[in-house]
Amino acid sequence: MNEKRNKSLFSGPLVAQALKASVVKLSPAAMVKNPVMFVVEISAFVVLLMTLFPGYFNAEDSLGFNLTVFLILLFTVLFANFAEALAEGRGKAQADTLKRTKGESMANKIVGSGIRTVPSNELRKGDIVVVSQGEMIPGDGEVIEGLASVDESAITGESAPVIKEAGGDFSSVTGGTRVISDRIKVKIASDPGETFIDRMIALVEGAERQKTPNEIALNTLLISLTIIFLIVVVTLRPIATYVGVDLEIPVLITLLVCLIPTTIGGLLSAIGIAGMDRVTQFNVLAMSGKAVEAAGDINTMILDKTGTITYGNRMASDIVPIGGASLDETAVWAAISSIQDETPEGRSVIEWMKHNSKAYDATLGDGGSFVEFKAETRMSGIDLKDGRQVRKGAVDSVRKWVIAQGGAIPQDLEGQADRIASEGGTPLAVAVGNRVFGVIYLKDTVKPGMRERFGQLREMGIKTIMCTGDNPLTAATIAREAGVDDFIAESKPEDKIAVIRREQAEGKLVAMTGDGTNDAPALAQADVGLAMNSGTMAAKEAANMVDLDSDPSKIIEVVAIGKQLLMTRGALTTFSIANDIAKYFAIIPAMFMLAIPEMEALNIMNLGSPLSAVLSALVFNAIIIPLLIPLAMKGVAYRPMHASRLLSRNLLVFGLGGVIAPFIGIKIIDLIVHVWI
Amino acid sequence: MDILQIVIVIGVLVLIAKPLGNVLYHVFSNEPNRTDHVFGWLERPIYALIGLKQRGGMSWKRYALSFVVTNLMLVAIGYILLRMQSGLPLNPNDIGSMEPTLAFNTIISFMTNTNLQHYSGETGLTYFAQMAVITMMMFTSAASGFSVAAAFVRGVTSKGKTIGNFFEDFVKAHTRVFLPLATIVALVLVALQVPQTLDPTLSLTTLQGATQQIAIGPVASLESIKHLGTNGGGFFGVNSAHPFENPNPLTNVIQILSMWALPASLPFMYGRFANNRKQGWVIFATMMALFLVFLTVAYTAEKSGNPLLNDVGIDASQGSMEGKEVRFGIAQSALFTTVTTAATTGSVNNMHDTLTPLGGLVPLAEMMLNVVFGGKGVGLINMLMYAILAVFICGLMVGRTPEFLGRKIEPHEMKLIAIAILAHPFIILVPTAAAFVTELGMGSLSNSGFHGITQALYEYASSAANNGSGFEGLADNTPFWNITTGLVMFVGRYISIIAMLAVAGSLTRKQWVPETIGTFRTDNALFVFLLIGTVILIGALTFLPVIVLGPIAEHLTIR
């Protein structure tokens, strides 16, 4: 996981900004979007009026009490605003960095046959610009000519430059990134304000944040609970009057504010923003909160074999001597052919030697000239000082080369090569001069830890399907090794979309990763499509998430983050609603005790006085919000496990905890408050 | 002995509820089965008569419309008959026609399965009205509720666009459930000395030489459907406390079981529809658990007697017998009270006004919840609504968006459920508060103090839950009470039913989400606890402040 963007939860400037924002957010126009807290704000306003103009309300006697109630209510709203502002602030800080990156740059636009320098925000879709070494790429686009290394650290945080070239899957470039070497011609693909970086800014800023369906549904529930308690409180006064209990408005307001779900109402949007933010911190850009939520609901995950489950580059896993050669001498020549070979295959041979503790004389290669791999020869190797030529490469090519040198081909070469191929490996023949020594068995290896992760996914109830272009035999081997549930061998891009449609028809939600243009339709079809930032623009457009680190296996963590977001929301809702029991036991006896002394029997918490009981409940109701901010921001701890165990655990902590915690909290606050009252 | 009586009744109920649930499943599943032969000959002519050859499924809108329009027609007919009853046949006692607001109240009351009675049967209704309006409505309102429950269950358990055919359900509920059962129960009651006659009121000369009027009539036939249909409107003013309605402990047990068995069997019908009988058990267990708590409170409160009377030295060993029938005693009275308000029947075999404060809290609370078995069909619908709420709140805690029986619970469903959960407290608390700010309302209260609050609260809770039992002591036959309770009954019945049918219609069209080990389970013991918790936190706590001002304050001040 990429930690470099992680900031501490309560860093100084963030808090200061959030404090300011929480006051600005008191504006009723902003508050009305959160009806639960809006009710609290109106309540605070009413109590304020009673404090300011006690004469109109006959409230001269309870001025101190009313003032206290007003202040607590005000802080309840401020706390909720602070939670939201803090969550937003983290995104804003990130957006500011991005905006600075974007800045205002000039672009060299090709006009007719000449080049004209124009501001980058005047570029339109279809314009062609030239970007040279050291210059900023002025907008998103496609390389149509040339090759260059590009520093994309502004958006990915990854400092190593990447190669971009015309044609193929590495032709897309992003505005705001910098060309480090060479010069490319770029065809601009988006209008100003719609570029990737613009969208990214909007996303992390939360400006485009739309409520997800689940949030809307939950809000509906919270609003109806608020209305129910409004009815309860408003009707209570006339009914109580019948038995001679005169309920004062501030006390009724206290009851109302304590009963309506202020805890979850105050934290709901912070939870959503923080969930999105966790995804962003993880260097994945989610295009909407809906996508993050959908990630939590995933039933099926489609993964490419290469790059996701396996390293993708083939590694030496065995060396097979042929034609009577010994294993040791075969190994030595395989190593020598790879001394100067910097390809992953070459390095893996040296690794293999170390791993199997085979010794060879590396000085043999000194002064030799390296023969690079070429598409025509399909071989690489080294020409030693003593004139001997060492080669390794595709079995066919090496055979032709040896025959051309007048050498004989051992009988078993064909057989061994076929065996390796049929097992899903790649055979590389090793030859010195006119003699073939043996075959290097290259194999695609499963990344470490994948098996455990697939095990965890199974625990969560997620089915994994591996897609690979390999033959069924190879695919089955890797599938077994990695522990995926199912695989599709010899798959074509259109197979993926067929699988997604099939699974979706069964009502399942499907996640997949992809980077190529031919993945785009499947990425769009999937419920969660994670495109690699290194991929083409088409793939990034189609997907609803983009991984800036281009690590496809991160989709597994994205699912966990989605689940964590939903769990946090559920846990705090349960907690908030369960709190009501204790609040009732604090306020109800206190409200009626003056007129009906027998109500003392219900004062099971043995709170000091009616006044301190009411205030303690209200204080608890207020301070629980900031106390829960860290939980809302970080999310409830999530470990993959069986749904029923997960539920029992969370119910115990947040359900039962939600019933008990306020009893303790209110009692403690009362012990303190009662000293003054 | 007391406990044994109670245990036996509950035991019999548990034994019959499950097989009865299976029968109901066969009635409403619309799949061919053996009973088609038995009932087909009766139903085919009815279908032919009403032009229902093609009994295709209906969308929820069509279903709800059919339900409402059918009910409206019956209301119109009933209202006219009540207003003209004096001129119609079978009026040997020369009873006059009903006053408009009372007729309005009565007809809404019976159509909504409430059976709140602001009239007294002996003097207010002719035999013809008892049979053609009251008994007829007892059948049709129960069948309406049953049909709606069947449609709702189909909606939440099946896939498609339709939730069944209202008219087919309505006919079958009559022919296959209520008519056969009512016939049997009526005959048994007749055998146990309940009158069934069209003769006029008896005029007798007592031993002292005075003349006494003894009201009789077609009682047994009304009595059977009164309980089977969880209607509760008595033939006589004092309802099942009257010796002709409920002559002995055996008829008492038969009445308890006949009002309880069908609501208790509905969860099992639901389990069959859901293709997972455990789902049915979960709902049943939740209802039963809540029921047992209420029964325990009612029984112990009544058994320990009235503290004020105990203090002046009156023998407390019998418990609080004020307003109870000696032939039933505490156990049979407490059980009857708990069942009649759980199943929202509303018949009474003792006067709820004279229950001890905590004993009176039980029927009040059960009506406020309206999920402990609940009225004909509505109880199951309400409990499933709470199940959806429980899933919605707690389901998130397994890290998935909430799903109930494989369907996602989304904003549309939550909006509809919000209407239903808002309506209930609204129509209980707002009119109660209104009654306390107007002389029109307060004038009818016969008690000052906390008991007066309970009286008014009870009247509206009973109307809202379509229960219909009266706390009595309330002079409720005034235009204010007739009209407000009429409106409350109407809203209490139709708003929530229509909202929940809409939920069913929406769920049935949804794509199913396959069940995995990551799915939130609704068929285990944990969910029973969750469901109870949700009912208490969302359903019950709403009413806590007024309950504290009513029965609880009364209890605390007299102990």
Side-chain angles (χ1 to χ4, degrees):
Chain A
M1 178 169 173
N2 195 329
E3 295 282 347
K4 52 183 164 277
R5 275 164 195 261
N6 272 353
K7 294 181 201 81
S8 100
L9 203 54
F10 294 102
S11 77
L14 273 182
V15 172
Q17 222 164 37
L19 283 175
K20 205 161 57 183
S22 47
V23 178
V24 175
K25 279 171 186 277
L26 283 177
S27 128
M31 286 303 295
V32 80
K33 285 180 199 144
N34 184 349
V36 179
M37 295 318 290
F38 189 56
V39 169
V40 182
E41 188 174 41
I42 292 176
S43 305
F45 183 68
V46 171
V47 183
L48 176 68
L49 285 182
M50 296 186 75
T51 319
L52 293 179
F53 311 104
Y56 290 96
F57 299 93
N58 241 345
E60 287 97 342
D61 301 340
S62 43
L63 211 57
F65 174 75
N66 289 354
L67 181 66
T68 319
V69 170
F70 163 69
L71 288 176
I72 304 174
L73 291 180
L74 178 67
F75 272 97
T76 312
V77 182
L78 284 176
F79 287 149
N81 286 351
F82 177 72
E84 194 183 75
L86 195 63
E88 283 170 354
R90 307 183 75 200
K92 281 215 182 74
Q94 215 163 357
D96 290 343
T97 327
L98 282 171
K99 273 182 197 156
R100 245 173 285 133
T101 329
K102 191 183 154 203
E104 261 313 296
S105 59
M106 300 305 277
N108 301 316
K109 182 178 163 189
I110 297 182
V111 185
S113 54
I115 287 179
R116 211 172 63 207
T117 309
V118 296
S120 60
N121 59 7
E122 279 176 18
L123 291 175
R124 292 289 177 274
K125 209 167 169 173
D127 288 350
I128 293 169
V129 292
V130 176
V131 192
S132 315
Q133 188 167 345
E135 287 177 352
M136 189 87 90
I137 297 174
D140 296 354
E142 198 96 11
V143 180
I144 50 169
E145 202 182 299
L147 174 152
S149 55
V150 176
D151 172 14
E152 292 195 324
S153 60
I155 48 170
T156 65
E158 172 62 56
S159 51
V162 286
I163 304 290
K164 297 286 178 182
E165 60 183 323
D169 281 350
F170 297 99
S171 62
S172 87
V173 286
T174 313
T177 57
R178 194 174 291 277
V179 172
I180 299 190
S181 70
D182 303 294
R183 176 190 156 98
I184 45 176
K185 258 188 203 167
V186 176
K187 187 174 178 187
I188 298 296
S190 57
D191 289 331
E194 291 165 14
T195 64
F196 188 66
I197 225 162
D198 288 322
R199 276 197 296 157
M200 195 163 157
I201 291 169
L203 280 168
V204 292
E205 233 177 5
E208 275 180 17
R209 206 178 100 80
Q210 281 178 327
K211 287 204 173 101
T212 64
N214 180 257
E215 250 178 311
I216 295 170
L218 186 54
N219 236 327
T220 311
L221 176 68
L222 298 182
I223 293 169
S224 31
L225 287 177
T226 307
I227 299 174
I228 288 177
F229 288 120
L230 256 172
I231 297 171
V232 169
V233 171
V234 169
T235 56
L236 193 56
R237 199 168 137 100
I239 297 175
T241 316
Y242 183 71
V243 288
V245 178
D246 186 28
L247 296 172
E248 286 174 29
I249 289 172
V251 175
L252 284 172
I253 282 180
T254 305
L255 179 66
L256 173 68
V257 171
C258 283
L259 293 184
I260 62 175
T262 47
T263 313
I264 182 66
L267 293 172
L268 187 59
S269 65
I271 295 171
I273 299 169
M276 285 280 282
D277 193 46
R278 274 200 299 282
V279 177
T280 317
Q281 300 290 334
F282 194 56
N283 257 2
V284 173
L285 272 192
M287 299 300 162
S288 68
K290 201 177 163 186
V292 181
E293 246 171 43
D297 276 348
I298 288 303
N299 301 91
T300 305
M301 203 179 266
I302 295 176
L303 299 160
D304 276 323
K305 184 201 81 173
T306 313
T308 309
I309 298 172
T310 65
Y311 281 107
N313 31 35
R314 295 154 302 177
M315 314 256 241
S317 75
D318 199 6
I319 289 180
V320 187
I322 53 166
S326 77
L327 174 61
D328 281 340
E329 57 181 338
T330 313
V332 166
W333 288 119
I336 288 176
S337 73
S338 308
I339 287 176
Q340 295 187 28
D341 185 357
E342 285 305 316
T343 63
E345 288 90 346
R347 268 176 300 183
S348 77
V349 173
I350 308 293
E351 281 294 308
W352 186 89
M353 296 294 288
K354 256 191 233 153
H355 198 254
N356 291 282
S357 24
K358 298 273 183 224
Y360 65 96
D361 181 10
T363 56
L364 212 56
D366 287 353
S369 64
F370 179 60
V371 180
E372 228 178 302
F373 178 87
K374 284 204 188 85
E376 307 92 72
T377 59
R378 295 170 70 217
M379 286 188 303
S380 67
I382 190 166
D383 290 340
L384 299 182
K385 256 191 315 205
D386 57 13
R388 276 184 292 183
Q389 291 179 308
V390 189
R391 291 288 182 276
K392 70 166 193 294
V395 175
D396 244 20
S397 316
V398 172
R399 184 174 40 205
K400 279 190 198 131
W401 183 73
V402 169
I403 291 172
Q405 316 243 354
I409 305 299
Q411 293 289 310
D412 48 351
L413 176 66
E414 192 109 352
Q416 289 293 359
D418 284 354
R419 176 183 66 86
I420 291 169
S422 73
E423 282 173 14
T426 311
L428 280 190
V430 178
V432 181
N434 59 3
R435 182 173 172 202
V436 182
F437 278 84
V439 182
I440 303 171
Y441 188 154
L442 289 180
K443 202 166 145 188
D444 204 356
T445 35
V446 175
K447 290 182 181 174
M450 288 315 276
R451 221 190 147 74
E452 290 71 34
R453 283 172 141 189
F454 291 132
Q456 290 174 349
L457 286 175
R458 235 188 317 279
E459 277 274 278
M460 300 181 205
I462 296 172
K463 177 178 154 191
T464 44
I465 300 177
M466 179 183 86
C467 275
T468 171
D470 293 340
N471 62 48
L473 204 68
T474 317
T477 316
I478 299 277
R480 202 168 40 244
E481 239 174 85
V484 293
D485 297 319
D486 203 355
F487 66 87
I488 304 162
E490 289 166 354
S491 84
K492 296 179 286 295
E494 54 271 26
D495 288 345
K496 269 191 198 166
I497 202 160
V499 174
I500 294 172
R501 289 216 175 105
R502 189 191 70 204
E503 295 284 313
Q504 283 174 337
E506 290 171 27
K508 296 178 182 169
L509 266 66
V510 186
M512 73 161 279
T513 60
D515 52 7
T517 300
N518 51 18
D519 283 333
L523 281 170
Q525 177 74 33
D527 301 281
V528 174
L530 178 66
M532 301 299 108
N533 189 49
S534 59
T536 60
M537 218 59 208
K540 285 196 265 184
E541 294 277 346
N544 49 15
M545 290 192 198
V546 176
D547 178 17
L548 300 175
D549 295 338
S550 304
D551 172 6
S553 62
K554 269 172 42 180
I555 185 127
I556 298 171
E557 275 82 8
V558 171
V559 168
I561 294 175
K563 284 195 179 294
Q564 198 188 21
L565 166 70
L566 293 171
M567 270 170 47
T568 310
R569 200 178 283 156
L572 290 183
T573 307
T574 309
F575 185 85
S576 184
I577 295 176
N579 273 195
D580 276 6
I581 298 179
K583 293 175 188 167
Y584 266 122
F585 275 103
I587 301 180
I588 298 257
M591 283 171 90
F592 303 139
M593 227 180 308
L594 280 182
I596 314 164
E598 290 88 348
M599 283 286 165
E600 179 62 32
L602 293 183
N603 182 11
I604 55 168
M605 279 183 270
N606 200 16
L607 302 175
S609 70
L611 220 53
S612 79
V614 169
L615 288 181
S616 304
L618 198 57
V619 169
F620 176 84
N621 190 57
I623 60 167
I624 195 71
I625 296 176
L627 287 181
L628 288 174
I629 288 179
L631 184 70
M633 304 280 263
K634 282 191 204 134
V636 171
Y638 174 69
R639 275 187 305 123
M641 61 170 102
H642 212 282
S644 56
R645 271 179 50 212
L646 204 58
L647 180 67
S648 321
R649 206 193 61 168
N650 285 332
L651 264 182
L652 205 66
V653 178
F654 298 100
L656 198 61
V659 174
I660 297 169
F663 276 104
I664 301 170
I666 293 176
K667 179 70 195 169
I668 294 174
I669 296 170
D670 176 72
L671 288 176
I672 302 166
V673 172
H674 189 50
V675 175
W676 285 286
I677 301 168
Chain B
M1 257 320 268
D2 275 5
I3 306 287
L4 187 66
Q5 291 178 37
I6 292 174
V7 169
I8 290 175
V9 176
I10 295 176
V12 173
L13 174 92
V14 173
L15 283 180
I16 55 177
K18 200 174 163 237
L20 202 54
N22 283 334
V23 171
L24 293 181
Y25 170 73
H26 288 304
V27 171
F28 292 110
S29 69
N30 294 338
E31 272 155 27
N33 64 70
R34 293 194 301 277
T35 49
D36 290 346
H37 294 291
V38 187
F39 298 102
W41 63 270
L42 185 60
E43 288 161 2
R44 274 188 297 273
I46 297 175
Y47 292 144
L49 188 69
I50 60 175
L52 200 66
K53 290 233 177 58
Q54 307 291 324
R55 294 186 294 279
M58 294 174 168
S59 68
W60 79 265
K61 281 183 191 149
R62 218 179 139 79
Y63 198 101
L65 192 70
S66 311
F67 157 69
V68 171
V69 169
T70 306
N71 276 205
L72 262 175
M73 301 293 285
L74 293 170
V75 164
I77 296 167
Y79 184 81
I80 293 167
L81 292 181
L82 284 183
R83 298 277 290 130
M84 301 175 24
Q85 63 170 350
S86 66
L88 293 169
L90 293 180
N91 186 7
N93 299 325
D94 276 331
I95 289 168
S97 290
M98 215 180 244
E99 175 267 321
T101 64
L102 182 59
F104 164 79
N105 182 284
T106 304
I107 208 68
I108 298 273
S109 163
F110 280 86
M111 192 66 258
T112 56
N113 200 256
T114 312
N115 295 206
L116 190 73
Q117 292 166 295
H118 287 176
Y119 65 92
S120 200
E122 299 92 325
T123 54
L125 288 178
T126 66
Y127 289 165
F128 182 78
Q130 288 277 22
M131 293 192 291
V133 180
I134 303 302
T135 313
M136 177 274 278
M137 288 245 167
M138 284 184 168
F139 274 100
T140 50
S141 68
S144 299
F146 240 55
S147 307
V148 169
F152 181 78
V153 168
R154 279 189 210 114
V156 296
T157 57
S158 71
K159 208 185 303 194
K161 286 193 173 64
T162 59
I163 56 173
N165 184 304
F166 173 75
F167 300 110
E168 185 183 8
D169 290 344
F170 189 66
V171 169
K172 276 175 151 182
H174 281 104
T175 55
R176 300 193 185 197
V177 183
F178 292 112
L179 280 172
L181 286 177
T183 310
I184 294 166
V185 173
L187 290 175
V188 172
L189 289 177
V190 168
L192 292 168
Q193 314 283 310
V194 177
Q196 177 73 12
T197 175
L198 293 175
D199 289 347
T201 299
L202 300 175
S203 234
L204 302 170
T205 311
T206 63
L207 291 175
Q208 285 93 350
T211 312
Q212 190 184 356
Q213 307 282 325
I214 298 183
I216 51 171
V219 184
S221 60
L222 182 141
E223 206 62 25
S224 61
I225 189 62
K226 165 179 127 186
H227 286 112
L228 284 167
T230 65
N231 292 290
F235 193 94
F236 305 110
V238 294
N239 212 293
S240 281
H242 194 288
F244 285 173
E245 286 205 21
N246 193 4
N248 54 53
L250 187 56
T251 54
N252 196 51
V253 169
I254 290 173
Q255 297 190 0
I256 289 176
L257 287 173
S258 29
M259 64 175 142
W260 198 5
L262 285 171
S265 67
L266 281 174
F268 296 106
M269 175 188 91
Y270 157 71
R272 288 293 303 267
F273 268 105
N275 233 333
N276 180 352
R277 290 176 199 227
K278 278 198 216 147
Q279 301 276 11
W281 274 107
V282 163
I283 301 290
F284 180 79
T286 309
M287 291 174 165
M288 194 48 124
L290 288 166
F291 176 84
L292 290 176
V293 172
F294 283 122
L295 178 62
T296 312
V297 173
Y299 176 73
T300 43
E302 293 311 306
K303 191 74 189 170
S304 41
N306 183 337
L308 293 180
L309 288 178
N310 297 353
D311 287 349
V312 295
I314 294 172
D315 175 26
S317 65
Q318 286 246 318
S320 173
M321 282 301 288
E322 184 195 355
K324 294 189 181 65
E325 297 293 304
V326 176
R327 63 183 187 281
F328 302 134
I330 297 289
Q332 292 275 347
S333 298
L335 184 61
F336 197 100
T337 292
T338 315
V339 173
T340 195
T341 43
T344 70
T345 307
S347 57
V348 290
N349 79 346
N350 64 88
M351 292 303 112
H352 290 181
D353 193 22
T354 56
L355 290 168
T356 59
L358 291 186
L361 165 66
V362 165
L364 187 58
E366 283 185 318
M367 293 186 300
M368 285 168 168
L369 293 184
N370 200 9
V371 292
V372 187
F373 297 106
K376 201 81 310 147
V378 180
L380 178 70
I381 296 180
N382 282 341
M383 191 54 111
L384 290 176
M385 178 189 83
Y386 278 104
I388 294 175
L389 275 173
V391 164
F392 183 78
I393 296 168
C394 303
L396 283 171
M397 284 197 286
V398 302
R400 294 179 63 83
T401 55
E403 29 196 74
F404 180 68
L405 297 181
R407 258 73 59 87
K408 293 263 176 231
I409 309 300
E410 289 171 308
H412 183 62
E413 290 79 43
M414 283 315 292
K415 276 182 199 132
L416 293 165
I417 289 176
I419 293 173
I421 58 169
L422 271 172
H424 199 57
F426 185 87
I427 59 176
I428 293 178
L429 294 175
V430 172
T432 305
F436 284 108
V437 291
T438 57
E439 197 40 48
L440 290 173
M442 265 196 289
S444 294
L445 300 173
S446 59
N447 286 81
S448 61
F450 311 120
H451 201 74
I453 291 184
T454 315
Q455 266 186 333
L457 200 54
Y458 193 103
E459 188 71 5
Y460 288 112
S462 176
S463 306
N466 297 137
N467 176 286
S469 66
F471 208 50
E472 303 313 333
L474 179 75
D476 49 19
N477 186 13
T478 66
F480 175 84
W481 289 93
N482 281 339
I483 293 170
T484 53
T485 53
L487 291 174
V488 167
M489 288 186 280
F490 181 81
V491 174
R493 174 85 166 177
Y494 294 101
I495 297 291
S496 67
I497 282 185
I498 292 171
M500 295 315 283
L501 279 178
V503 170
S506 160
L507 288 179
T508 201
R509 285 192 302 265
K510 284 201 178 186
Q511 170 83 46
W512 286 40
V513 183
E515 195 179 288
T516 67
I517 58 165
T519 308
F520 178 89
R521 296 198 76 87
T522 55
D523 60 353
N524 54 21
L526 183 62
F527 193 67
V528 175
F529 285 101
L530 273 180
L531 198 47
I532 293 175
T534 310
V535 168
I536 290 176
L537 278 168
I538 293 184
L541 284 186
T542 312
F543 295 105
L544 191 68
V546 278
I547 293 256
V548 167
L549 271 184
I552 292 183
E554 191 184 358
H555 170 75
L556 291 173
T557 46
I558 65 166
R559 19 171 229 166

